[in-house]
Amino acid sequence: MTNEAAARARKTALVRATAVCKQYVQRGSFSRKKFAVEALSGVDLDIAPGCLTALVGGSGSGKSTLARCLAMLEKPDSGEIWLEGESISVGNPQQAARLRPKIQLVFQDSAGALNPRFSAAEIIAEPLEIQRRESGPRLRERALELMEEVGLPPDWANRRPLEFSGGQRQRLAIARAIALQPAFLILDESLSGLDLSTQAQVLNLLLDLQSAHSLTYLLISHDLTLVGQIADFVAVMHQGKIVERGSRQQVLGSPQHAHTRKLVESVQVLEAAFRTAQAGGGR
């Protein structure tokens, strides 16, 4: 790809990663000898603006490591990452401070991600206060507005996180994540662990917010059934590499890589077993 073509590609994609590598140094359990674990190996990924891209793969495939690099929580060993055409991997503190609020994460464990000593209003208001977006009475007013936007009653503003249900805590985490009006939201297994009814409600909320705020999502998930229902694009990770990517219909409907086929076939087997169990229970 020429420099001009690469520049056009960076402008077209909201987020673009090229040749991203990341290693961790660990020690053996018994020998204590150091060895390197390659978490990411030459990852290339384009995330289109306004779309929901799903990142799927087995445990240890590198999904969360990639998410942390994209969110500027970790620096790649090599390769580059761009947000809105600007490099976020150049190590410029001023640039990082300006771009970081545009990228937010919502984790699977909302209870662990929220300060248990803070009230709901304080949790939502904290990033606004740190970034000096609001102050004084307006700070709390904005927190209450965000609570209402994600479907939480504003009169619950003084409750602590553990006073909320799992689904309500996830709504609280989402309110905090959108407080700074980000362009890019990373959902790291954010719908896992919720019952199907609550999962559907939180998913509908996310889709409504995406439409209202022109958000771009990266959904990290093991649930291919869910991904097959909502994703615009799918990228499949295996052993630190993206082995297949494309539209949802291409990747899940006609998988080309052996690992993708294995993932799709495992879901088909489970769905067939579930249908058989349902049919047997109906007799």
Side-chain angles (χ1 to χ4, degrees):
M1 183 182 291
T2 66
N3 290 337
E4 185 179 346
R8 284 199 303 269
R10 289 197 296 272
K11 290 179 180 179
T12 302
L14 180 82
V15 178
R16 180 174 173 81
T18 59
V20 172
C21 296
K22 181 69 180 177
Q23 286 188 344
Y24 297 104
V25 176
Q26 298 184 353
R27 288 182 181 271
S29 301
F30 299 104
S31 68
R32 308 301 295 165
K33 185 178 180 180
K34 292 182 179 180
F35 62 95
V37 175
E38 195 167 37
L40 300 176
S41 178
V43 170
D44 295 326
L45 179 65
D46 289 349
I47 299 175
C51 294
L52 191 157
T53 298
L55 186 63
V56 303
S59 297
S61 60
K63 303 187 302 296
S64 291
T65 300
L66 179 58
R68 289 194 296 271
C69 290
L70 295 177
M72 305 174 70
L73 297 179
E74 293 196 25
K75 184 173 173 56
D77 296 330
S78 60
E80 288 196 75
I81 300 172
W82 289 270
L83 172 69
E84 296 179 333
E86 291 190 74
S87 176
I88 63 175
S89 49
V90 295
N92 184 315
Q94 290 76 25
Q95 186 181 43
R98 178 171 54 82
L99 293 177
R100 187 171 285 116
K102 296 185 178 185
I103 309 169
Q104 297 295 315
L105 288 98
V106 180
F107 297 99
Q108 177 181 359
D109 181 15
S110 55
L114 303 175
N115 191 326
R117 295 176 297 176
F118 279 19
S119 69
E122 289 170 335
I123 286 169
I124 298 170
E126 185 182 29
L128 292 167
E129 188 172 20
I130 290 172
Q131 293 291 325
R132 300 179 180 177
R133 299 285 182 90
E134 302 287 357
S135 61
R138 179 58 189 155
L139 186 63
R140 184 176 175 86
E141 288 173 12
R142 182 62 185 138
L144 298 184
E145 290 170 0
L146 286 161
M147 286 188 70
E148 196 164 15
E149 187 169 8
V150 299
L152 293 174
D155 57 4
W156 290 5
N158 293 325
R159 294 189 182 188
R160 299 295 189 268
L162 293 180
E163 296 179 70
F164 292 87
S165 68
Q168 290 165 347
R169 280 196 298 271
Q170 206 59 289
R171 289 174 183 268
L172 184 57
I174 292 168
R176 178 187 170 91
I178 66 171
L180 295 176
Q181 299 178 308
F184 181 43
L185 207 60
I186 300 173
L187 308 168
D188 192 353
E189 297 285 1
S190 304
L191 300 173
S192 301
L194 301 176
D195 63 72
L196 291 178
S197 175
T198 303
Q199 185 184 84
Q201 292 170 11
V202 174
L203 176 58
N204 287 334
L205 168 65
L206 288 167
L207 295 178
D208 288 343
L209 292 172
Q210 182 183 29
S211 177
H213 298 284
S214 300
L215 287 166
T216 299
Y217 289 148
L218 176 65
L219 172 67
I220 299 173
S221 180
H222 287 86
D223 189 345
L224 284 192
T225 302
L226 173 67
V227 167
Q229 293 171 348
I230 64 170
D232 299 302
F233 300 97
V234 178
V236 182
M237 287 202 75
H238 181 56
Q239 297 181 345
K241 299 179 180 179
I242 291 181
V243 296
E244 189 162 356
R245 55 185 172 175
S247 70
R248 175 186 64 204
Q249 294 82 1
Q250 289 172 331
V251 175
L252 301 184
S254 182
Q256 301 300 303
H257 193 274
H259 183 69
T260 311
R261 289 197 296 269
K262 184 178 178 181
L263 291 175
V264 172
E265 287 166 3
S266 66
V267 172
Q268 292 170 345
V269 168
L270 287 173
E271 290 178 342
F274 180 70
R275 288 194 296 270
T276 301
Q278 279 191 317
R283 292 193 186 93

Short mmCIF file of all heavy atoms in Angstrom, two decimals, residues 73-119:
data_model
loop_
_atom_site.label_atom_id
_atom_site.label_comp_id
_atom_site.label_asym_id
_atom_site.label_seq_id
_atom_site.Cartn_x
_atom_site.Cartn_y
_atom_site.Cartn_z
N LEU A 73 -4.55 1.93 27.14
CA LEU A 73 -4.19 1.47 28.47
C LEU A 73 -2.83 0.76 28.46
O LEU A 73 -2.17 0.65 29.49
CB LEU A 73 -5.26 0.53 29.03
CG LEU A 73 -6.64 1.14 29.24
CD1 LEU A 73 -7.61 0.10 29.77
CD2 LEU A 73 -6.58 2.34 30.18
N GLU A 74 -2.46 0.25 27.30
CA GLU A 74 -1.15 -0.37 27.11
C GLU A 74 -0.57 0.12 25.79
O GLU A 74 -1.32 0.44 24.86
CB GLU A 74 -1.25 -1.89 27.11
CG GLU A 74 -1.65 -2.47 28.45
CD GLU A 74 -1.35 -3.96 28.54
OE1 GLU A 74 -0.45 -4.44 27.83
OE2 GLU A 74 -2.03 -4.63 29.32
N LYS A 75 0.75 0.14 25.73
CA LYS A 75 1.42 0.59 24.50
C LYS A 75 1.93 -0.64 23.74
O LYS A 75 2.59 -1.50 24.32
CB LYS A 75 2.58 1.51 24.85
CG LYS A 75 3.29 2.10 23.63
CD LYS A 75 4.31 3.13 24.05
CE LYS A 75 5.14 3.61 22.87
NZ LYS A 75 4.31 4.16 21.79
N PRO A 76 1.61 -0.75 22.47
CA PRO A 76 2.14 -1.87 21.68
C PRO A 76 3.67 -1.84 21.64
O PRO A 76 4.28 -0.78 21.72
CB PRO A 76 1.54 -1.66 20.30
CG PRO A 76 0.44 -0.68 20.47
CD PRO A 76 0.80 0.16 21.65
N ASP A 77 4.27 -3.01 21.50
CA ASP A 77 5.72 -3.07 21.33
C ASP A 77 6.12 -2.53 19.96
O ASP A 77 7.20 -1.96 19.80
CB ASP A 77 6.21 -4.51 21.48
CG ASP A 77 5.96 -5.06 22.87
OD1 ASP A 77 5.96 -4.26 23.83
OD2 ASP A 77 5.74 -6.28 23.01
N SER A 78 5.28 -2.76 18.98
CA SER A 78 5.52 -2.24 17.63
C SER A 78 4.18 -2.15 16.90
O SER A 78 3.16 -2.64 17.38
CB SER A 78 6.49 -3.15 16.86
OG SER A 78 5.95 -4.46 16.73
N GLY A 79 4.20 -1.52 15.74
CA GLY A 79 2.96 -1.28 15.01
C GLY A 79 2.38 0.07 15.38
O GLY A 79 2.89 0.77 16.25
N GLU A 80 1.30 0.43 14.72
CA GLU A 80 0.67 1.73 14.96
C GLU A 80 -0.84 1.59 15.07
O GLU A 80 -1.45 0.71 14.46
CB GLU A 80 1.02 2.72 13.84
CG GLU A 80 2.45 3.21 13.88
CD GLU A 80 2.64 4.46 13.03
OE1 GLU A 80 2.21 5.54 13.47
OE2 GLU A 80 3.20 4.33 11.94
N ILE A 81 -1.43 2.50 15.85
CA ILE A 81 -2.88 2.58 16.00
C ILE A 81 -3.29 4.03 15.78
O ILE A 81 -2.67 4.95 16.32
CB ILE A 81 -3.33 2.12 17.40
CG1 ILE A 81 -2.90 0.67 17.65
CG2 ILE A 81 -4.84 2.25 17.55
CD1 ILE A 81 -3.12 0.20 19.08
N TRP A 82 -4.32 4.23 14.95
CA TRP A 82 -4.83 5.57 14.67
C TRP A 82 -6.29 5.68 15.13
O TRP A 82 -7.06 4.72 15.02
CB TRP A 82 -4.78 5.89 13.18
CG TRP A 82 -3.41 6.09 12.62
CD1 TRP A 82 -2.71 7.27 12.53
CD2 TRP A 82 -2.56 5.10 12.03
NE1 TRP A 82 -1.50 7.06 11.93
CE2 TRP A 82 -1.38 5.74 11.61
CE3 TRP A 82 -2.71 3.73 11.83
CZ2 TRP A 82 -0.33 5.06 11.00
CZ3 TRP A 82 -1.67 3.03 11.23
CH2 TRP A 82 -0.50 3.70 10.82
N LEU A 83 -6.63 6.84 15.63
CA LEU A 83 -8.01 7.19 15.95
C LEU A 83 -8.34 8.47 15.19
O LEU A 83 -7.65 9.48 15.34
CB LEU A 83 -8.20 7.42 17.46
CG LEU A 83 -9.56 7.98 17.89
CD1 LEU A 83 -10.66 6.95 17.66
CD2 LEU A 83 -9.54 8.42 19.34
N GLU A 84 -9.36 8.39 14.34
CA GLU A 84 -9.77 9.54 13.52
C GLU A 84 -8.57 10.11 12.75
O GLU A 84 -8.41 11.32 12.62
CB GLU A 84 -10.42 10.62 14.39
CG GLU A 84 -11.72 10.16 15.04
CD GLU A 84 -12.35 11.22 15.93
OE1 GLU A 84 -11.60 12.09 16.44
OE2 GLU A 84 -13.58 11.19 16.11
N GLY A 85 -7.71 9.21 12.27
CA GLY A 85 -6.57 9.62 11.46
C GLY A 85 -5.36 10.09 12.22
O GLY A 85 -4.33 10.42 11.62
N GLU A 86 -5.43 10.13 13.56
CA GLU A 86 -4.30 10.56 14.38
C GLU A 86 -3.71 9.36 15.09
O GLU A 86 -4.42 8.52 15.65
CB GLU A 86 -4.73 11.59 15.43
CG GLU A 86 -5.14 12.93 14.86
CD GLU A 86 -5.31 13.96 15.96
OE1 GLU A 86 -4.30 14.43 16.52
OE2 GLU A 86 -6.46 14.28 16.29
N SER A 87 -2.39 9.28 15.11
CA SER A 87 -1.71 8.17 15.77
C SER A 87 -1.87 8.29 17.28
O SER A 87 -1.63 9.36 17.86
CB SER A 87 -0.22 8.15 15.40
OG SER A 87 0.43 7.12 16.13
N ILE A 88 -2.26 7.19 17.91
CA ILE A 88 -2.37 7.18 19.38
C ILE A 88 -1.24 6.34 19.98
O ILE A 88 -1.25 6.04 21.17
CB ILE A 88 -3.74 6.66 19.86
CG1 ILE A 88 -3.95 5.20 19.44
CG2 ILE A 88 -4.86 7.54 19.34
CD1 ILE A 88 -5.23 4.60 19.99
N SER A 89 -0.28 5.95 19.16
CA SER A 89 0.80 5.09 19.65
C SER A 89 2.16 5.76 19.52
O SER A 89 3.19 5.11 19.51
CB SER A 89 0.79 3.76 18.89
OG SER A 89 0.72 3.95 17.50
N VAL A 90 2.17 7.09 19.43
CA VAL A 90 3.44 7.80 19.23
C VAL A 90 4.07 8.22 20.55
O VAL A 90 5.20 8.69 20.59
CB VAL A 90 3.24 9.05 18.34
CG1 VAL A 90 2.83 8.65 16.95
CG2 VAL A 90 2.22 10.00 18.95
N GLY A 91 3.33 8.08 21.67
CA GLY A 91 3.90 8.41 22.97
C GLY A 91 3.92 9.89 23.29
O GLY A 91 4.70 10.34 24.13
N ASN A 92 3.10 10.70 22.62
CA ASN A 92 3.02 12.13 22.89
C ASN A 92 2.01 12.36 24.02
O ASN A 92 0.81 12.14 23.83
CB ASN A 92 2.57 12.87 21.62
CG ASN A 92 2.55 14.37 21.82
OD1 ASN A 92 2.06 14.88 22.82
ND2 ASN A 92 3.07 15.10 20.83
N PRO A 93 2.45 12.79 25.22
CA PRO A 93 1.53 12.92 26.36
C PRO A 93 0.37 13.88 26.12
O PRO A 93 -0.76 13.62 26.53
CB PRO A 93 2.43 13.43 27.49
CG PRO A 93 3.82 13.03 27.09
CD PRO A 93 3.83 13.11 25.59
N GLN A 94 0.66 15.00 25.46
CA GLN A 94 -0.40 15.98 25.20
C GLN A 94 -1.45 15.41 24.25
O GLN A 94 -2.66 15.57 24.47
CB GLN A 94 0.19 17.27 24.62
CG GLN A 94 1.02 18.11 25.58
CD GLN A 94 2.39 17.53 25.84
OE1 GLN A 94 2.93 16.79 25.00
NE2 GLN A 94 2.98 17.86 26.98
N GLN A 95 -0.97 14.74 23.22
CA GLN A 95 -1.90 14.14 22.26
C GLN A 95 -2.71 13.03 22.93
O GLN A 95 -3.92 12.92 22.71
CB GLN A 95 -1.14 13.59 21.06
CG GLN A 95 -2.05 13.08 19.95
CD GLN A 95 -1.26 12.52 18.78
OE1 GLN A 95 -0.29 11.81 18.98
NE2 GLN A 95 -1.65 12.86 17.57
N ALA A 96 -2.07 12.22 23.76
CA ALA A 96 -2.76 11.14 24.46
C ALA A 96 -3.84 11.70 25.38
O ALA A 96 -4.96 11.17 25.43
CB ALA A 96 -1.76 10.32 25.27
N ALA A 97 -3.53 12.78 26.09
CA ALA A 97 -4.51 13.38 26.99
C ALA A 97 -5.72 13.90 26.23
O ALA A 97 -6.85 13.86 26.73
CB ALA A 97 -3.85 14.51 27.78
N ARG A 98 -5.49 14.38 25.02
CA ARG A 98 -6.59 14.91 24.21
C ARG A 98 -7.44 13.81 23.60
O ARG A 98 -8.67 13.93 23.50
CB ARG A 98 -6.01 15.82 23.12
CG ARG A 98 -7.05 16.41 22.18
CD ARG A 98 -6.42 17.45 21.28
NE ARG A 98 -5.26 16.93 20.57
CZ ARG A 98 -5.35 16.20 19.44
NH1 ARG A 98 -6.54 15.90 18.94
NH2 ARG A 98 -4.26 15.79 18.84
N LEU A 99 -6.79 12.71 23.18
CA LEU A 99 -7.52 11.65 22.48
C LEU A 99 -8.13 10.60 23.41
O LEU A 99 -9.14 9.98 23.06
CB LEU A 99 -6.57 10.95 21.50
CG LEU A 99 -6.08 11.78 20.32
CD1 LEU A 99 -5.09 10.97 19.49
CD2 LEU A 99 -7.25 12.24 19.45
N ARG A 100 -7.54 10.40 24.59
CA ARG A 100 -8.00 9.32 25.46
C ARG A 100 -9.49 9.41 25.81
O ARG A 100 -10.17 8.38 25.85
CB ARG A 100 -7.14 9.26 26.73
CG ARG A 100 -7.45 8.04 27.60
CD ARG A 100 -6.45 7.88 28.72
NE ARG A 100 -5.18 7.37 28.26
CZ ARG A 100 -4.02 8.02 28.30
NH1 ARG A 100 -3.99 9.26 28.77
NH2 ARG A 100 -2.91 7.46 27.88
N PRO A 101 -10.05 10.59 26.09
CA PRO A 101 -11.49 10.64 26.42
C PRO A 101 -12.40 10.18 25.29
O PRO A 101 -13.57 9.85 25.54
CB PRO A 101 -11.73 12.13 26.74
CG PRO A 101 -10.39 12.65 27.14
CD PRO A 101 -9.40 11.90 26.29
N LYS A 102 -11.88 10.15 24.06
CA LYS A 102 -12.70 9.72 22.93
C LYS A 102 -12.89 8.20 22.88
O LYS A 102 -13.67 7.70 22.07
CB LYS A 102 -12.08 10.20 21.61
CG LYS A 102 -12.04 11.71 21.47
CD LYS A 102 -11.53 12.11 20.10
CE LYS A 102 -11.53 13.62 19.92
NZ LYS A 102 -11.14 14.01 18.54
N ILE A 103 -12.13 7.47 23.71
CA ILE A 103 -12.20 6.01 23.74
C ILE A 103 -12.57 5.59 25.16
O ILE A 103 -11.88 5.95 26.11
CB ILE A 103 -10.85 5.38 23.36
CG1 ILE A 103 -10.32 5.96 22.05
CG2 ILE A 103 -10.98 3.87 23.27
CD1 ILE A 103 -8.89 5.57 21.76
N GLN A 104 -13.64 4.83 25.30
CA GLN A 104 -14.06 4.38 26.62
C GLN A 104 -14.33 2.88 26.58
O GLN A 104 -14.62 2.31 25.53
CB GLN A 104 -15.32 5.12 27.07
CG GLN A 104 -15.15 6.62 27.23
CD GLN A 104 -14.19 6.99 28.34
OE1 GLN A 104 -14.26 6.43 29.44
NE2 GLN A 104 -13.30 7.95 28.08
N LEU A 105 -14.21 2.24 27.76
CA LEU A 105 -14.44 0.81 27.88
C LEU A 105 -15.59 0.52 28.84
O LEU A 105 -15.77 1.24 29.83
CB LEU A 105 -13.20 0.09 28.40
CG LEU A 105 -12.02 -0.06 27.46
CD1 LEU A 105 -11.00 1.03 27.75
CD2 LEU A 105 -11.37 -1.42 27.62
N VAL A 106 -16.31 -0.54 28.54
CA VAL A 106 -17.30 -1.10 29.47
C VAL A 106 -16.91 -2.56 29.67
O VAL A 106 -16.90 -3.33 28.72
CB VAL A 106 -18.73 -0.99 28.94
CG1 VAL A 106 -19.72 -1.59 29.94
CG2 VAL A 106 -19.10 0.46 28.65
N PHE A 107 -16.56 -2.92 30.91
CA PHE A 107 -16.05 -4.24 31.19
C PHE A 107 -17.17 -5.21 31.55
O PHE A 107 -18.30 -4.82 31.85
CB PHE A 107 -15.04 -4.19 32.35
CG PHE A 107 -13.82 -3.39 32.05
CD1 PHE A 107 -13.69 -2.08 32.50
CD2 PHE A 107 -12.78 -3.93 31.30
CE1 PHE A 107 -12.56 -1.33 32.23
CE2 PHE A 107 -11.64 -3.19 31.02
CZ PHE A 107 -11.53 -1.89 31.49
N GLN A 108 -16.82 -6.50 31.55
CA GLN A 108 -17.78 -7.53 31.93
C GLN A 108 -18.16 -7.42 33.40
O GLN A 108 -19.34 -7.48 33.76
CB GLN A 108 -17.19 -8.93 31.67
CG GLN A 108 -18.10 -10.07 32.11
CD GLN A 108 -17.48 -11.42 31.86
OE1 GLN A 108 -16.37 -11.52 31.34
NE2 GLN A 108 -18.17 -12.47 32.23
N ASP A 109 -17.16 -7.23 34.26
CA ASP A 109 -17.39 -7.19 35.71
C ASP A 109 -17.66 -5.76 36.14
O ASP A 109 -16.74 -5.05 36.55
CB ASP A 109 -16.18 -7.77 36.44
CG ASP A 109 -16.36 -7.77 37.96
OD1 ASP A 109 -17.51 -7.60 38.41
OD2 ASP A 109 -15.36 -7.95 38.68
N SER A 110 -18.90 -5.35 36.03
CA SER A 110 -19.24 -3.97 36.39
C SER A 110 -19.02 -3.71 37.87
O SER A 110 -18.64 -2.60 38.27
CB SER A 110 -20.68 -3.66 36.00
OG SER A 110 -21.57 -4.60 36.58
N ALA A 111 -19.24 -4.74 38.71
CA ALA A 111 -19.06 -4.56 40.15
C ALA A 111 -17.60 -4.23 40.47
O ALA A 111 -17.30 -3.38 41.32
CB ALA A 111 -19.50 -5.81 40.90
N GLY A 112 -16.67 -4.90 39.78
CA GLY A 112 -15.26 -4.65 40.02
C GLY A 112 -14.76 -3.37 39.38
O GLY A 112 -13.73 -2.82 39.80
N ALA A 113 -15.47 -2.88 38.36
CA ALA A 113 -15.02 -1.69 37.64
C ALA A 113 -15.52 -0.39 38.28
O ALA A 113 -15.05 0.69 37.92
CB ALA A 113 -15.48 -1.75 36.19
N LEU A 114 -16.48 -0.49 39.19
CA LEU A 114 -17.08 0.70 39.80
C LEU A 114 -16.62 0.82 41.25
O LEU A 114 -16.61 -0.17 41.99
CB LEU A 114 -18.61 0.62 39.74
CG LEU A 114 -19.22 0.46 38.35
CD1 LEU A 114 -20.73 0.26 38.45
CD2 LEU A 114 -18.90 1.66 37.46
N ASN A 115 -16.27 2.02 41.65
CA ASN A 115 -15.81 2.25 43.03
C ASN A 115 -16.97 2.01 44.01
O ASN A 115 -17.98 2.73 43.96
CB ASN A 115 -15.30 3.69 43.17
CG ASN A 115 -14.57 3.92 44.48
OD1 ASN A 115 -14.91 3.35 45.50
ND2 ASN A 115 -13.56 4.77 44.43
N PRO A 116 -16.86 1.00 44.88
CA PRO A 116 -17.99 0.67 45.77
C PRO A 116 -18.29 1.75 46.80
O PRO A 116 -19.37 1.75 47.40
CB PRO A 116 -17.53 -0.63 46.46
CG PRO A 116 -16.04 -0.58 46.40
CD PRO A 116 -15.70 0.12 45.12
N ARG A 117 -17.35 2.67 47.03
CA ARG A 117 -17.56 3.73 48.03
C ARG A 117 -18.27 4.94 47.45
O ARG A 117 -18.74 5.80 48.19
CB ARG A 117 -16.21 4.14 48.63
CG ARG A 117 -15.52 3.04 49.42
CD ARG A 117 -14.16 3.47 49.89
NE ARG A 117 -13.27 3.74 48.77
CZ ARG A 117 -12.02 4.21 48.90
NH1 ARG A 117 -11.54 4.47 50.09
NH2 ARG A 117 -11.27 4.42 47.82
N PHE A 118 -18.34 5.02 46.12
CA PHE A 118 -18.97 6.16 45.46
C PHE A 118 -20.46 5.90 45.27
O PHE A 118 -20.89 4.76 45.08
CB PHE A 118 -18.34 6.41 44.09
CG PHE A 118 -17.05 7.17 44.13
CD1 PHE A 118 -16.30 7.27 45.29
CD2 PHE A 118 -16.57 7.80 42.98
CE1 PHE A 118 -15.10 7.96 45.32
CE2 PHE A 118 -15.37 8.49 42.99
CZ PHE A 118 -14.62 8.57 44.16
N SER A 119 -21.23 6.95 45.28
CA SER A 119 -22.64 6.85 44.89
C SER A 119 -22.72 6.78 43.37
O SER A 119 -21.74 7.06 42.66
CB SER A 119 -23.42 8.06 45.40
OG SER A 119 -23.02 9.24 44.71
#
